[in-house]
Amino acid sequence: MSRRVTLSLGYEGNLQDVVVVIPDDEPTPWQWSDKLDIVGKPTPRVDGPLKATGAARYSYDIELPGMLYGAILRSPYPHARIKSIDASRARRLNGVRAVMNMDDDVVRFAGHEIAAVAAISSDIANDAIALINVEYEQLPFVADLEAAMASGAPAVFENGSNLAKPRESALGDFARAFAEAEATHEGTYTTPVQTHVSLESHGSVASWEGDKLTVWTSTQGIFAVRDDLTVYFKLPGDNVRVITEFLGGGFGSKFGAGPEVIIACRLAKAAGAPVKLMLSRKEEHLATGNRPSSVQKVRMGADRGGKLIAIEVVQHGSGGIGAGSGSTGPFANVYRCPNFRSEERNVFMNTGPSSPMRAPGWPQGCFALELAMDELARKLNLDRLEFRRRNSEHPVRAVEFELGAKAFGWDEKSRTPKSNGALRRGIGVAGAAWHALGVSGPEAQVIAHRDGRVEVRVGTQDIGTGTRTVLAMVAAEEMGVALSRISCEIGDTRYLFSVPSGGSMTAPSNTPAVRQAASHLKQKIFRIAAPMIGADPNDLEIRDGVIQVRFDPTRKVAFEDACKRIPGDSISAQGERVMNYEGFRHDQAGCQFAEVEVDTETGIIRVLDVVAVHDAGRIIDPMTARSQVNGGVLMGIGFALFEARRLDPTLGIVVNPTMDDYKMVGPLDVPDIKVMFVEVANGITNTGVLGLGEASHVASAAAVACAVYDAIGVPIRDLPMTPDRVLTALEAKA
Amino acid sequence: MSDEKSKRPSEPVISRRSFIKGAGAVAAAASLVGVRNAEAEEAASNAGIAERLGPGAQSIELKINGATHRLAIEPRVTLLRALREHLGMTGTKQVCDRGACGACTVHLDGRPVTSCMMLTVDARGHEVTTIEGLGNPAAMHPVQGAFVEHDALQCGFCTPGMVMSVAAALAANPNASREEVRHATAGNICRCGTYTHVFEAALSATNASGKARA
């Protein structure tokens, strides 16, 4: 049933033999010494031509005959009771086909759904929304973090406190160690609410046939949406089909069936016609999720040798009516400290709900941790990189610090004078950590057709990371055929189950299932090929599309000739993603370096140079992997310098729900980015692949903040580091 | 605190920032109220306008990707909506719907324009080129090929607009520098942050066309 194999695992210069027990039908995990033909080679993504020509069909592009357009009426008030809704004028408008009200009679943020319509055009749908008359009873609200925590603050949820119970954890004795420390630092660090701004908005096209529902939706989790819809509409799972062929970003905001998905389905049912309902940009900013704010009070102490001996972080933050604002993860993970205490408290207020966003909690925590590290290093009079080296125990990160410092020129840049008139340069470094190991659950099907085509089918989705490409590469590698022979079908709940694409789980969860399926299919093809060359199937191997006898390569048959002997049209095999093995390590390190230039007259910060060094087990496609890291860095620079959802606390509304007022990184803000990978054979699955989306984003804002501190000699402890904050900091220093 | 940082005692009563914040709140409040300015419409209608269209659907002709299309369309419909909802050309994307992100970029007589900021009726008499007109998966435009080759796309939603901006820039200047490419795409937002590869793709297309001529 299972077998023991000894694997050579680790990384360049640190290899060790690790014994793992694997099921009999699992291919032996790729190990350090395995030389692969396709995996590991930079490969343009297989669906690139569709995307570059506009031919890729996103949910937003789906058009069905007789399709209507939906629109949602949202509350202008942050807290109100709906006394009545008069939609009679909307119903009478020419072209309107369905009108519906939401079930709740209380709205808790400006932007909360109230009613919706479906009409024959999007313009008419929006006209109809404007004709709905709602009578509100405005209720007391709170849209300010500190005010929400005050005693007597208006309750966001009736009979409930705005302040959740603290989540605490502790190790050793913080108070004693802090008192004994050679050098200490205390500071409070804040981060704003960030919104996801996925370019494809949330939404769906919903279509009913009797009690069967098909939904094309912009989601990171087709099966999660299916499950939510079967519960909401009380349907058996088979009756709901969810399709996401292409997905225009998600970043954590697109798990499950949100209100806008349910509304599209309800409108379609009421109208008896398919309905497309895609949210506007404003609705995206108000109602589809955000990264919660944070206020982090940090106390930190080190001994004479520059070793951290005490860390405390007491944090609170708000994701509006959503929870999950904790951000202390990096404090317990990136550096080793024997005396540690953390406390997280979630605060509710009358603003749009939070949702997971790219490494939830970690960019906030990493920013506070790393800037505090720099402030402490300064008191210790210790080089900041050296301080981190002394406190980072992860062996891979040690290698990454080394490689990164060299590529970045840490030593040379440390010696370069900072000042050039009003412009001041500075450098920073920050450590990353994540744990993109993937999970069991996904199954894959691989099909060989008589014409020699090979098809991979998995019910996963591509958030933009290149899922089709990495799955096709793994299948091609295992099958021993060219990548061009493989097609990869994903994004449909008619395929075998897979998990949501979030938390960097897609590649590590799906590639092992695909490899197992491909290895099973290979055995089936060998059984067809064996009699063709008078061999035993067990003696066969395949390389470059040629099946041959392992010890006698003159006896061979082309893969496509073997496929011609497939009885029927095709032959297929399945594979499952088994639980992680013990392997080498169950975590990821990483580090990023940044150089900035600060204009001390205008307060404008420019990021000049970034070096990002990461490990993600075995890198399947270095090209798409590099793209992901570039993106993680740039989203982090946006968090550091520009992005903040701005509220008017007196009105309780968002004042910048647009892409011109909510500032993000554009082409002119892009620094030189050098991406480096440390390949690790970890053996925790048969592919040893880990994810990259989160790890590449954790340390980016932190490295920039540290560089700004280095440049101007005063820390900016509040993100984003806008020009006015830079100027205020410089004034305070002077 | 929350989204807004706590007040700093050293700050003057009205800083540039608080002024901007105040202005934003006013704008947002106005947009929520959704005022209909009937008088302004009335005044405009009498101000010597050469042509009067709408508000109902109007039969017009559009020249798109070399073909002439006749369609009945309300004058308020943007070129972006006309392409997507009336002509089924879904390659052009709507993202911000106010000219701030470049995802809906098409060419009007070879110049890049944001189709969300243009009324369909104003495109009459011009040559419109969309992403579909530039190339297709089997026969890609050199810029599209370069985007694939350099992985200048991730989720791909900004890609059609990004490709159109780069293609227009290189058509105008086949030897554009990196800095010129950056400026040519300055109005295109990519949330996946794939700009670096866009610059590389654009530069490779530049060099390729340079070599082709040499």
Side-chain angles (χ1 to χ4, degrees), chain A residues 168-321:
Chain A
E168 297 175 65
S169 78
L171 180 74
D173 184 345
F174 166 78
R176 204 193 61 198
F178 189 72
E180 289 172 357
E182 171 76 14
T184 62
H185 164 69
E186 295 182 43
T188 299
Y189 302 81
T190 74
T191 62
V193 168
Q194 184 182 24
T195 58
H196 299 72
V197 203
S198 310
L199 293 198
E200 183 185 30
S201 63
H202 289 64
S204 320
V205 176
S207 177
W208 292 85
E209 269 179 64
D211 64 351
K212 287 200 189 313
L213 172 62
T214 303
V215 182
W216 288 261
T217 190
S218 185
T219 184
Q220 299 173 233
I222 51 174
F223 280 92
V225 171
R226 185 201 66 174
D227 291 349
D228 287 349
L229 292 177
T230 55
V231 169
Y232 187 88
F233 290 103
K234 299 184 177 64
L235 295 169
D238 287 354
N239 283 30
V240 180
R241 180 181 179 194
V242 177
I243 303 169
T244 305
E245 245 188 286
F246 287 91
L247 172 61
F251 309 106
S253 69
K254 291 178 178 170
F255 295 118
E260 65 285 343
V261 183
I262 307 261
I263 289 169
C265 297
R266 281 180 59 180
L267 287 172
K269 197 167 194 181
V275 168
K276 176 187 277 193
L277 198 169
M278 301 300 296
L279 299 189
S280 69
R281 187 51 45 188
K282 180 176 176 181
E283 291 176 294
E284 284 292 298
H285 285 280
L286 298 186
T288 62
N290 54 63
R291 182 191 292 284
S293 60
S294 77
V295 176
Q296 306 174 64
K297 291 189 167 69
V298 178
R299 292 198 289 168
M300 199 183 256
D303 67 14
R304 194 164 307 172
K307 286 264 193 188
L308 286 169
I309 57 169
I311 295 179
E312 180 191 60
V313 52
V314 178
Q315 180 264 357
H316 65 274
S318 180
I321 63 166

Side-chain angles (χ1 to χ4, degrees), chain B residues 154-200:
Chain B
Q154 291 186 51
C155 86
F157 213 72
C158 76
T159 309
M162 199 73 89
V163 165
M164 295 307 280
S165 288
V166 171
L170 297 196
N173 176 10
N175 295 309
S177 67
R178 190 180 178 92
E179 206 47 36
E180 285 164 334
V181 166
R182 283 161 70 100
H183 281 274
T185 54
N188 292 80
I189 296 293
C190 169
R191 188 50 156 168
C192 299
T194 215
Y195 303 112
T196 307
H197 287 187
V198 170
F199 306 152
E200 288 171 11

Side-chain angles (χ1 to χ4, degrees), chain A residues 359-582:
Chain A
W362 283 56
Q364 301 97 295
C366 195
F367 155 69
L369 166 68
E370 293 289 11
L371 189 51
M373 288 285 284
D374 273 14
E375 295 186 62
L376 187 55
R378 194 171 268 235
K379 288 179 181 165
L380 288 161
N381 201 20
L382 199 58
D383 174 74
R384 292 166 297 148
L385 179 58
E386 177 55 26
F387 184 38
R388 285 168 173 81
R389 280 189 180 124
R390 286 186 197 176
N391 290 287
S392 167
E393 64 163 347
H394 201 300
V396 178
R397 193 182 295 106
V399 174
E400 291 166 337
F401 275 145
E402 198 69 40
L403 283 171
K406 204 167 167 198
F408 181 74
W410 179 265
D411 291 340
E412 303 82 68
K413 283 178 173 165
S414 296
R415 288 191 296 267
T416 308
K418 301 201 178 313
S419 196
N420 172 16
L423 302 176
R424 293 187 65 82
R425 286 197 177 192
I427 56 173
V429 57
W434 194 250
H435 39 268
L437 309 176
V439 292
S440 57
E443 290 191 285
Q445 188 183 27
V446 182
I447 307 162
H449 293 272
R450 278 178 72 102
D451 61 5
R453 282 181 304 119
V454 176
E455 211 180 318
V456 177
R457 290 184 183 175
V458 193
T460 181
Q461 47 281 309
D462 184 1
I463 190 172
T465 55
T467 307
R468 282 185 183 84
T469 308
V470 296
L471 298 186
M473 288 173 77
V474 166
E477 184 74 45
E478 182 61 29
M479 297 288 296
V481 300
L483 183 63
S484 57
R485 207 174 267 287
I486 314 261
S487 67
C488 188
E489 304 295 330
I490 60 172
D492 191 330
T493 53
R494 288 203 171 159
Y495 303 144
L496 295 172
F497 173 84
S498 188
V499 292
S501 291
S504 301
M505 290 210 302
T506 306
S509 302
N510 292 294
T511 55
V514 168
R515 187 174 171 221
Q516 196 195 82
S519 91
H520 293 171
L521 181 61
K522 187 167 69 177
Q523 299 310 320
K524 289 188 176 183
I525 296 287
F526 284 174
R527 285 204 288 273
I528 292 171
M532 296 171 76
I533 50 176
D536 185 318
N538 294 320
D539 294 335
L540 297 183
E541 63 177 13
I542 177 165
R543 300 211 66 164
D544 300 328
V546 178
I547 301 166
Q548 61 195 26
V549 176
R550 206 174 289 120
F551 46 82
D552 179 8
T554 60
R555 286 153 66 198
K556 61 186 178 183
V557 57
F559 174 79
E560 54 188 304
D561 289 334
C563 287
K564 288 176 187 152
R565 300 284 182 100
I566 292 171
D569 180 67
S570 60
I571 187 165
S572 72
Q574 277 184 215
E576 68 169 311
R577 169 47 158 98
V578 300
M579 306 257 283
N580 289 338
Y581 309 128
E582 203 42 58

